[in-house]
Amino acid sequence: MKNNLTDMPAEEFRKIGYELVDWIINYLNEIEKYPPLSQIKPGDIFSRIPKQPPQTGEEIERVLADVDKILIDGITHWNHPGFMAYFNSTSSMPGILAELLSAAFNANGMLWKTSPAFTELEKAMINWFRQMVGLSENYWGIIYDTASTSSMHAIASAREQLNLEIREKGMAGRNDLPKLRLYCSEQAHSSIDKGSLTLGLGLEGIKKIPVNEKFEMIPEKLEQAIKEDIANGIKPFCVVATVGTTSTTSVDPVKRISEICKSYNLWLHIDAAYAGVTAMIPEMKWISDAWNDADSIVINPHKWMFTPMDLSIYFTRKPEILKRAFSLVPEYLKTQVDDEVENLMDYGIQLGRRFRSLKLWFIIRYFGIDGLVERIRKHIQLAKEFANWIDDEKDFERLAPVPFSTVCFRYNPGNRTEHEINKLNESLLEKINASGKIFLSHTKLNGKFTIRLTIGSIRHERRHIDGAWQLIKTIARSLN
Ligand SMILES: *Cc1c(COP(=O)(O)O)cnc(C)c1O
């Protein structure tokens, strides 16, 4: 049947397109019938897929049917309101529509010329989002895939700022280079370590600064570490402050850290991947205290702004340093307008790039700032409520403050050693997740196995949080 050498016929696309849209609507409407965490064994899905690719084309309906037959029970449903693990990342319908359009355009924004609307919409959306989170006009921004990529570019810029000719000469085999050091707290995200190892700074190039009882970086310890390194001939170059750490969502004291960065002339990068969006909320403005002192900031709309994966925003006051670190223009990519426009390929390692800003355009316009603020604010309120429920029960213990929408807790019925309590909570978490009703994750805080519950789904309602709490209590109290 598919013997003409063209794409799928328009009528076929129309038919399957409507079917797919219906499928998506039903899926999202009935998502609670699935367990949020896939209960499948490793290898199960792989074994359902033919070992050989088809020699001749198949009906597209069969592919769609196989989504239900082959894939669906191997999906962990991030859009499920019972998904309260890690940090939620939920997609909204405007975001899903934008993804579809992005695939249809298939615009590649490597140069301004390769789609002027791409580069200019991205610039406009960065400008909107910058105002939404209260950053000054001094910030330039770009969309990358993930916060990991954003932070890697921040560290690369911090290193480029040193003018050590690393771009030309590299680092290996040079005895004219000092050892370089980056500082972040013990609670910083592993992406900082990864950025550092990607750039050849090594894991030893990072010093982890201790935190206080609220899991916030201790600025005095930071300054002490910097002084010690300088005394030992090591060159400090970058500090990463986290606003919303991954385990507990603690907020490092950015103001104090920025003062230290200023006095030692260090690049300050703020990792606000999860919590940064809350700077939109008037009563949460405190989290963006001293942000305008930072050299760079990362915020992920794909975490808590209902944006389908992936979309991370990187802001910097020094785009020229980023460009100096990464711009490399071969003859075949030169254009006549290079002096007048910004070519996004100059600001990072990737050449080709997806049209991600469409998602922001659809989402911000559809919900409006007020709609986004209301939704995120509701999540914070629900988390505070959940934290109060924990505090009100004698056999439960909260293990960290709740500045945003993530609650760290454990079950502690008393009369047990720390080791036994850890074991108890490990099996509690396992049973909760095997229930097929909700999905929670964990961390370890001061040696304590800690259960984490995050609220941030666009589909989260109070009944989901209440249901989760009833389930957690019931399972916990049935353990012995
Ligand atoms: C989630 C998270 C990251 C990593 O985000 P990706 O976009 O998945 O790379 C980094 N830092 C913090 C604080 C995070 O919460």
Side-chain angles (χ1 to χ4, degrees):
M1 37 137 320
K2 296 185 194 58
N3 49 7
N4 63 10
L5 298 180
T6 61
D7 195 1
M8 175 189 279
E11 277 317 308
E12 198 180 339
F13 180 81
R14 192 189 312 278
K15 182 166 175 292
I16 194 73
Y18 288 144
E19 272 176 43
L20 181 60
V21 167
D22 283 337
W23 187 95
I24 291 171
I25 293 167
N26 291 337
Y27 167 69
L28 291 175
N29 277 345
E30 297 167 9
I31 197 162
E32 290 182 56
K33 76 180 185 195
Y34 302 104
L37 174 64
S38 169
Q39 308 284 320
I40 214 116
K41 301 268 175 313
D44 277 2
I45 301 296
F46 184 79
S47 69
R48 292 178 194 171
I49 299 166
K51 293 285 166 292
Q52 308 289 325
Q55 192 66 45
T56 57
E58 296 178 54
E59 292 296 329
I60 198 78
E61 270 85 1
R62 292 193 50 194
V63 185
L64 192 52
D66 280 347
V67 171
D68 284 313
K69 278 196 219 124
I70 296 179
L71 292 188
I72 201 81
D73 50 348
I75 302 282
T76 287
H77 301 278
W78 285 71
N79 276 328
H80 193 302
F83 190 113
M84 301 171 183
Y86 314 118
F87 289 130
N88 287 93
S89 171
T90 55
S91 60
S92 55
M93 290 195 177
I96 295 170
L97 292 174
E99 283 285 16
L100 190 61
L101 187 58
S102 167
F105 283 138
N106 196 31
N108 182 336
M110 54 197 201
L111 303 169
W112 176 86
K113 182 182 175 177
T114 58
S115 253
F118 183 123
T119 300
E120 298 190 12
L121 183 64
E122 181 157 329
K123 196 182 172 74
M125 290 307 102
I126 291 285
N127 197 33
W128 281 8
F129 192 75
R130 178 188 60 71
Q131 297 171 63
M132 286 160 66
V133 295
L135 281 173
S136 81
E137 279 179 1
N138 298 334
Y139 285 86
W140 172 97
I142 188 167
I143 299 174
Y144 292 129
D145 54 357
T146 57
S148 304
T149 300
S150 296
S151 291
M152 192 278 287
H153 286 95
I155 301 168
S157 302
R159 186 179 68 174
E160 179 64 24
Q161 182 174 249
L162 298 172
N163 290 318
L164 295 173
E165 297 181 290
I166 291 169
R167 178 187 160 111
E168 299 306 322
K169 299 181 183 167
M171 296 178 81
R174 286 178 65 183
N175 45 27
D176 61 326
L177 279 189
K179 195 174 170 65
L180 303 180
R181 191 89 82 187
L182 175 151
Y183 308 82
C184 60
S185 93
E186 288 166 348
Q187 295 288 321
H189 190 267
S190 57
S191 58
I192 306 306
D193 305 57
K194 280 209 181 178
S196 188
L197 63 87
T198 304
L199 292 163
L201 299 157
L203 294 177
E204 283 181 14
I206 302 185
K207 190 158 262 177
K208 300 278 169 85
I209 306 301
V211 294
N212 65 17
E213 72 295 340
K214 286 156 73 188
F215 307 98
E216 303 158 347
M217 188 196 286
I218 302 171
E220 293 74 24
K221 299 271 184 199
L222 169 66
E223 183 153 24
Q224 192 186 331
I226 293 169
K227 281 184 176 154
E228 271 169 29
D229 276 348
I230 293 171
N232 291 319
I234 295 172
K235 188 161 182 56
F237 77 106
C238 183
V239 179
V240 178
T242 312
V243 172
T245 56
T246 312
S247 283
T248 71
T249 73
S250 61
V251 178
D252 287 338
V254 177
K255 180 96 201 130
R256 278 289 292 124
I257 294 171
S258 85
E259 284 157 10
I260 295 168
C261 287
K262 267 183 217 148
S263 49
Y264 293 89
N265 200 19
L266 309 178
W267 184 286
L268 173 60
H269 175 58
I270 296 177
D271 179 359
Y274 151 72
V277 292
T278 65
M280 282 186 257
I281 306 176
E283 67 272 20
M284 294 299 288
K285 285 283 176 231
W286 62 271
I287 73 146
S288 52
D289 179 35
W291 276 13
N292 282 304
D293 293 339
D295 295 285
S296 56
I297 301 181
V298 56
I299 301 174
N300 275 3
H302 78 216
K303 275 204 169 133
W304 198 1
M305 210 178 87
F306 323 122
T307 307
M309 283 289 292
D310 47 20
L311 202 162
S312 175
I313 296 184
Y314 177 68
F315 287 109
T316 177
R317 282 191 291 126
K318 299 171 176 168
E320 70 290 350
I321 292 182
L322 181 64
K323 188 171 179 183
R324 206 168 78 200
F326 288 103
S327 177
L328 199 85
V329 187
E331 186 55 37
Y332 48 83
L333 291 174
K334 290 188 177 146
T335 72
Q336 269 104 31
V337 288
D338 286 350
D339 295 340
E340 303 162 51
V341 299
E342 225 164 52
N343 292 319
L344 294 173
M345 70 163 188
D346 286 336
Y347 298 90
I349 52 167
Q350 69 183 104
L351 173 61
R353 45 177 53 241
R354 309 181 58 226
F355 200 170
R356 297 189 180 89
S357 64
L358 277 173
K359 291 187 273 192
L360 293 179
W361 200 42
F362 275 52
I363 288 168
I364 297 171
R365 289 182 67 182
Y366 181 78
F367 294 108
I369 299 174
D370 290 347
L372 294 169
V373 162
E374 289 300 323
R375 284 169 176 79
I376 296 169
R377 177 186 275 143
K378 183 182 83 182
H379 297 153
I380 298 172
Q381 283 162 356
L382 286 172
K384 299 238 186 295
E385 206 173 339
F386 184 85
N388 288 336
W389 296 339
I390 296 277
D391 294 348
D392 286 347
E393 297 292 333
K394 284 201 179 56
D395 52 351
F396 279 85
E397 226 183 327
R398 194 150 57 80
L399 297 176
V402 181
F404 303 103
S405 68
T406 301
V407 185
C408 291
F409 65 96
R410 68 175 181 175
Y411 178 52
N412 184 0
N415 293 325
R416 281 165 215 244
T417 66
E418 277 298 313
H419 179 73
E420 286 165 347
I421 302 172
N422 280 353
K423 287 278 160 231
L424 188 66
N425 280 276
E426 256 176 79
S427 62
L428 171 58
L429 182 62
E430 223 169 274
K431 289 214 166 62
I432 290 169
N433 289 342
S435 76
K437 298 277 187 263
I438 60 173
F439 174 29
L440 306 182
S441 57
H442 79 281
T443 187
K444 211 155 218 181
L445 297 173
N446 299 321
K448 296 174 184 169
F449 187 93
T450 304
I451 300 178
R452 271 171 94 266
L453 179 142
T454 294
I455 300 162
S457 167
I458 194 158
R459 279 164 276 278
H460 271 154
E461 297 166 26
R462 194 171 180 284
R463 69 184 168 94
H464 298 116
I465 316 310
D466 184 51
W469 177 224
Q470 301 312 327
L471 183 76
I472 294 165
K473 278 192 297 191
T474 307
I475 297 179
R477 289 168 184 166
S478 73
L479 292 173
N480 265 306

